[in-house]
Amino acid sequence: MVTVHSGSRAVPSALSPLPLDAWLLDLTAAAVSLPNTASPDLLGDGLARLELIALHFPKFNDGRAYSQARLLRGRMGYRGELRATGDVLRDQLPFMLRCGFDSFEKADPPFGEAVRAAATLFSVVYQPAEDNRVPAAELRRLATAGAMAAAAAVSLG
Amino acid sequence: MPDSYFYRYDAHDRALVAERVAQFRDQVARRLSGDLTEEQFKPLRLTNGLYLQLHAYMLRVAIPYGTLTSGQLRALAGIARRFDRGYGHFTTRQNLQFNWIRLEDAPDILEALAAVDMHAMQTSGNCIRNVTADHFAGAAGDEVEDPRIWAEIVRQWSTLHPEFSFLPRKFKIAVTGSPRDRAAVRVHDIGLRLHRDPAGAVGFEVIVGGGLGRTPMIGKTLRDFLPREDLLAYLEATLRVYNRYGRRDNLYKARIKILVHEIGAERMRGEVDAEFHALRGTALRLPDEVIDAIARQFAAPALAARPARSEDVERLRARDRAFARWLAANVTPHRVPGYAIVTAALKQLGAPPGDASATQMDAVADLADRHSSGEVRVSHEQNLILPWVPLDDLQALWRALDALGFADPVAGRIGDIVACPGLDYCALANARSIPLAQRLSLRFGDAARQQEIGELKVRISGCINACGHHHVGHIGILGVDRNGTELYQISLGGDPEAGSTAIGEILGPALTEERTIEAIEAMVDLYLATRVAGERFVDTYRRLGADPYKEKVYGHRA
């Protein structure tokens, strides 16, 4: 039985995503499944009405959906549910969370704990992504700027 | 502020590496308990540098841009003693491989590496690999800027990159800061060449789609001059285009060079530019203070002022021919007067190129402390470099390296053979490369003869994956298997340097090991007999063309 596990989203959508071809014929549907060879640009104006987009991993090592997710979140401003389907393994979860996925379809039942653990596995990130975590270089810059401001305040005081 | 002339981890870097070790310990435990299948575990171990080879696991340790402290080198020696058979192998990508590792020990080894701010992340797998750079960085007189600053910025950006950890294929980035390209930037997935625009600003020529392997290609320049603040935006744009459109249907057509070749450089540039324009100026922009903070870490060590000429060195040079030969081959002029860059040649007669025992590693670490401000580099020619040596120390250093077997005057010469591990270790190889390298170095062992021959880069790969970089050897040798017999195919005229990069041309049918050695001897004799003043082996070949060499090798067959 396939279960949907939530990342940051409280309750995953109960909608069944339409295959892209079907959705393009019925743009009022609020859930679509995008093959990993399709450009997110195909969603066009219909994107604003979508509540759920499912992105597919035919094999865990086929990473095209990571780029689709980042384009949807970062470039196109999509804020609805972004679900990873297919070969979703716990060791890929930290990457998926950073790319903006917030729900995960998985056949094996004990997976919710893995999703929770993945969010805190790494306390440091080195690059900006779709999770708004602050990269190490920026933290260092802020710390230096803060120290300089404090020093300036002391010398002024 | 402590004296610092190489990148030191801070709390962020240490936390990430420690968390990565913990994650891998859990993954190994799940593999050993059977929770993970080998198929599921394979990409996890690969992105932690762990390969399953012919006889055991091999662990490839990342040495970012080839820079090591003496303490790190000692830690590697300690790991070699405790977990391996007492030695390690420095690779053509400035990394170190341990060849006899047990899976159960791998997490402990990674922990030992983390203790000295090292890791094995992304030394394998279809991700952005450990970034390489000029091994003379910071010490060479001819560079625009230290490429390690940029290699470190790229290292951090690429580490556990969430979007680019499952690319179609592996991805290698190299950086050079010098017009004399010692990082072979035109034969990498992305090569970055630092230079100045007419206004004097520092930026990058960005070269995309080069590579060796079974389809050798010279990279195309997608940008003549990329402002430095845009580096990460441009890299991210390029990788995104590759991740989306690179081929995944055929392992052998999955590198970015095939994508560039199939759609053409113009279209590739257009795709990358479109993505770049959307990413430029976002959080990927590199502010000056971030660049400067990394740059400060690579400031040169405090070097005492010294005379530009050492009378001791000159006296011994005049008196001792062996020392004079070593100076000519293994000592490179330094940016700072009174100092030199010394190559410790890991090309001992009769030993695999790039191998060093734990004892030798410890000894080189001691020499680095005594003579080179505690720093060592690994070159992609599989040698160790001491980059900060006072001229007055050269004599003592020469004697000490000689005692270790690392003072053969071979750097850049025929004895400085680059070879992959070959069929002795590697599951992919078709033929052995190490025995051939050993026999060649014995045949050309005479130092005077090597000096007479001059610069000649010999590179040997045991299969078409080309880890020995045979395509860019002046003489390249490729091991092939013909019905169970190991044969060697010779190519001539390859060149790794950016200004003159060339893929070698195949000379003719593959030969046995014995006949390969005879052929090289005959071609070297032809060169010596026909060269004009100042010509290197490769220059004479370019002038004469392949025919006289073919005739020498194949024309007078008995």
Side-chain angles (χ1 to χ4, degrees):
Chain A
M1 229 262 318
V2 171
T3 319
V4 177
H5 300 271
S6 179
S8 54
R9 198 157 283 273
V11 184
S13 168
L15 295 170
S16 297
L18 288 182
L20 178 65
D21 292 349
W23 180 83
L24 287 169
L25 298 173
D26 174 18
L27 295 174
T28 60
V32 66
S33 174
L34 205 60
N36 75 352
T37 49
S39 169
D41 291 336
L42 291 171
L43 300 176
D45 295 340
L47 185 67
R49 286 184 295 276
L50 283 168
E51 293 168 26
L52 168 64
I53 301 175
L55 299 178
H56 193 58
F57 292 84
K59 288 283 291 176
F60 65 85
N61 57 5
D62 182 338
R64 283 177 275 201
Y66 293 109
S67 286
Q68 289 178 311
R70 292 204 65 192
L71 287 169
L72 283 163
R73 289 285 194 226
R75 183 78 43 82
M76 303 168 74
Y78 173 69
R79 290 289 161 263
E81 182 175 339
L82 200 52
R83 183 177 298 171
T85 67
D87 200 8
V88 177
L89 303 176
R90 64 183 269 183
D91 296 293
Q92 279 72 55
L93 289 171
F95 299 129
M96 290 180 176
L97 287 166
R98 294 219 64 212
C99 287
F101 288 97
D102 55 8
S103 70
F104 308 91
E105 201 178 273
K106 182 71 180 169
D108 313 324
F111 201 63
E113 183 49 44
V115 174
R116 278 185 290 282
T120 54
L121 202 54
F122 294 103
S123 64
V124 179
V125 298
Y126 278 128
Q127 54 293 103
E130 310 312 322
D131 53 357
N132 296 320
R133 293 177 67 182
V134 183
E138 182 64 5
L139 290 175
R140 291 173 187 134
R141 194 183 70 81
L142 293 171
T144 311
M148 284 168 68
V154 167
S155 65
L156 284 173
Chain B
M1 188 154 181
D3 186 34
S4 165
Y5 45 97
F6 32 75
Y7 185 78
R8 284 170 205 265
Y9 276 19
D10 68 4
H12 300 296
D13 302 306
R14 290 213 177 89
L16 184 124
V17 170
E19 287 157 2
R20 179 66 163 181
V21 173
Q23 181 195 36
F24 190 59
R25 193 177 286 285
D26 169 63
Q27 289 165 343
V28 169
R30 283 190 281 138
R31 173 69 192 116
L32 291 171
S33 76
D35 277 0
L36 282 173
T37 66
E38 173 55 22
E39 198 209 355
Q40 290 167 338
F41 180 61
K42 186 177 170 187
L44 306 177
R45 65 169 164 76
L46 287 180
T47 53
N48 285 285
L50 198 63
Y51 280 76
L52 187 54
Q53 291 290 44
L54 279 181
H55 312 292
Y57 281 95
M58 177 271 275
L59 181 73
R60 185 182 291 153
V61 176
I63 303 176
Y65 36 89
T67 295
L68 282 172
T69 65
S70 54
Q72 288 172 328
L73 187 53
R74 281 190 197 94
L76 293 172
I79 290 168
R81 273 194 198 94
R82 189 170 152 212
F83 297 104
D84 200 286
R85 296 184 177 175
Y87 66 96
H89 175 77
F90 290 96
T91 77
T92 54
R93 299 204 68 256
Q94 304 181 301
N95 292 321
L96 179 78
Q97 293 180 182
F98 293 116
N99 281 314
W100 304 96
I101 295 300
R102 292 172 352 125
L103 177 60
E104 299 87 316
D105 291 335
D108 290 338
I109 299 174
L110 295 184
E111 201 162 298
L113 289 171
V116 290
D117 297 346
M118 295 185 78
H119 60 74
M121 274 185 269
Q122 295 176 208
T123 55
S124 180
N126 293 338
C127 54
I128 301 169
R129 298 288 188 88
N130 183 39
V131 55
T132 55
D134 183 354
H135 45 268
F136 291 166
D142 57 357
E143 72 188 14
V144 173
E145 194 167 89
D146 191 329
R148 294 174 304 162
I149 299 164
W150 297 97
E152 174 59 26
I153 288 171
V154 172
R155 181 191 79 82
Q156 294 189 22
W157 162 79
S158 62
T159 296
L160 300 189
H161 197 295
E163 185 178 347
F164 305 133
S165 290
F166 297 92
L167 296 167
R169 199 76 178 85
K170 59 188 169 184
F171 203 94
K172 299 174 182 174
I173 300 176
V175 194
T176 186
S178 154
R180 179 93 205 268
D181 168 26
R182 285 170 291 259
V185 294
R186 288 206 176 271
V187 289
H188 282 77
D189 295 285
I190 291 182
L192 299 170
R193 190 179 69 80
L194 281 154
H195 66 120
R196 288 181 192 279
D197 72 0
V202 173
F204 300 93
E205 180 188 0
V206 184
I207 301 149
V208 177
L212 300 174
R214 72 178 63 204
T215 318
M217 286 192 191
I218 295 169
K220 307 285 189 297
T221 297
L222 291 195
R223 278 262 163 176
D224 288 319
F225 188 84
L226 180 77
R228 56 183 210 157
E229 65 176 36
D230 292 330
L231 178 66
L232 295 186
Y234 199 83
L235 290 180
E236 191 137 318
T238 309
L239 267 294
R240 182 169 289 167
V241 169
Y242 172 55
N243 191 41
R244 294 180 70 191
Y245 304 119
R247 287 181 62 172
R248 293 174 188 262
D249 60 322
N250 181 338
L251 181 68
Y252 302 118
K253 295 185 188 296
R255 296 288 288 270
I256 194 173
K257 64 190 171 187
I258 303 293
L259 176 65
V260 174
H261 179 70
E262 287 183 352
I263 71 174
E266 270 318 302
R267 218 186 118 200
M268 186 70 189
R269 185 179 295 118
E271 294 283 349
V272 172
D273 275 352
E275 196 56 49
F276 173 58
H277 288 305
L279 289 170
R280 187 179 204 176
T282 63
L284 286 166
R285 190 182 80 86
L286 284 163
D288 283 346
E289 49 283 30
V290 167
I291 299 169
D292 294 345
I294 301 275
R296 271 196 297 280
Q297 302 238 24
F298 291 102
L303 299 175
R306 291 179 166 274
R309 187 183 145 93
S310 161
E311 296 310 323
D312 284 355
V313 166
E314 296 314 319
R315 264 194 299 277
L316 191 62
R317 188 205 296 270
R319 204 175 68 223
D320 188 323
R321 282 167 62 188
F323 182 63
R325 277 192 204 108
W326 179 75
L327 286 177
N330 293 23
V331 178
T332 307
H334 204 283
R335 180 173 60 76
V336 181
Y339 290 81
I341 306 168
V342 171
T343 297
L346 271 55
K347 307 292 163 70
Q348 294 174 272
L349 285 181
D355 267 20
S357 70
T359 309
Q360 288 170 323
M361 287 187 237
D362 276 339
V364 172
D366 290 346
L367 292 173
D369 282 339
R370 210 168 305 142
H371 303 293
S372 181
S373 299
E375 191 185 336
V376 181
R377 306 279 176 78
V378 184
S379 76
H380 73 266
E381 283 109 359
Q382 301 178 287
N383 294 318
L384 293 178
I385 310 292
L386 298 171
W388 313 103
V389 180
L391 292 182
D392 287 335
D393 288 15
L394 284 174
Q395 189 182 150
L397 180 56
W398 172 58
R399 293 191 198 286
L401 288 173
D402 193 38
L404 290 173
F406 290 165
D408 288 344
V410 297
R413 304 269 164 84
I414 193 169
D416 197 5
I417 297 168
V418 172
C420 70
L423 194 54
D424 290 307
Y425 297 97
C426 179
L428 303 173
N430 292 320
R432 290 170 297 164
S433 15
I434 290 169
L436 177 60
Q438 291 175 337
R439 291 192 60 190
L440 270 175
S441 53
L442 283 171
R443 179 69 72 101
F444 291 94
D446 180 60
R449 182 140 182 249
Q450 288 206 31
Q451 187 168 27
E452 190 197 354
I453 297 166
E455 185 182 312
L456 174 47
K457 295 176 192 265
V458 177
R459 305 198 163 183
I460 307 173
S461 304
C463 78
I464 50 177
N465 290 303
C467 297
H469 301 178
H470 66 279
H471 296 300
V472 289
H474 296 163
I475 295 177
I477 302 172
L478 167 66
V480 294
D481 176 291
R482 294 276 185 274
N483 306 318
T485 308
E486 293 167 53
L487 296 178
Y488 298 90
Q489 188 177 68
I490 297 173
S491 57
L492 295 178
D495 187 341
E497 285 194 34
S500 53
T501 310
I503 305 295
E505 291 164 34
I506 293 168
L507 187 70
L511 304 169
T512 61
E513 182 181 294
E514 189 60 45
R515 287 213 54 219
T516 302
I517 293 166
E518 287 167 12
I520 290 171
E521 179 120 51
M523 293 189 298
V524 167
D525 288 342
L526 174 66
Y527 155 68
L528 291 174
T530 55
R531 69 176 167 187
V532 298
E535 268 186 346
R536 303 169 300 162
F537 178 90
V538 68
D539 302 321
T540 304
Y541 170 78
R542 282 177 191 150
R543 177 169 57 82
L544 296 179
D547 286 346
Y549 297 85
K550 286 181 180 164
E551 167 123 3
K552 264 284 186 214
V553 174
Y554 300 102
H556 308 293
R557 218 177 293 183

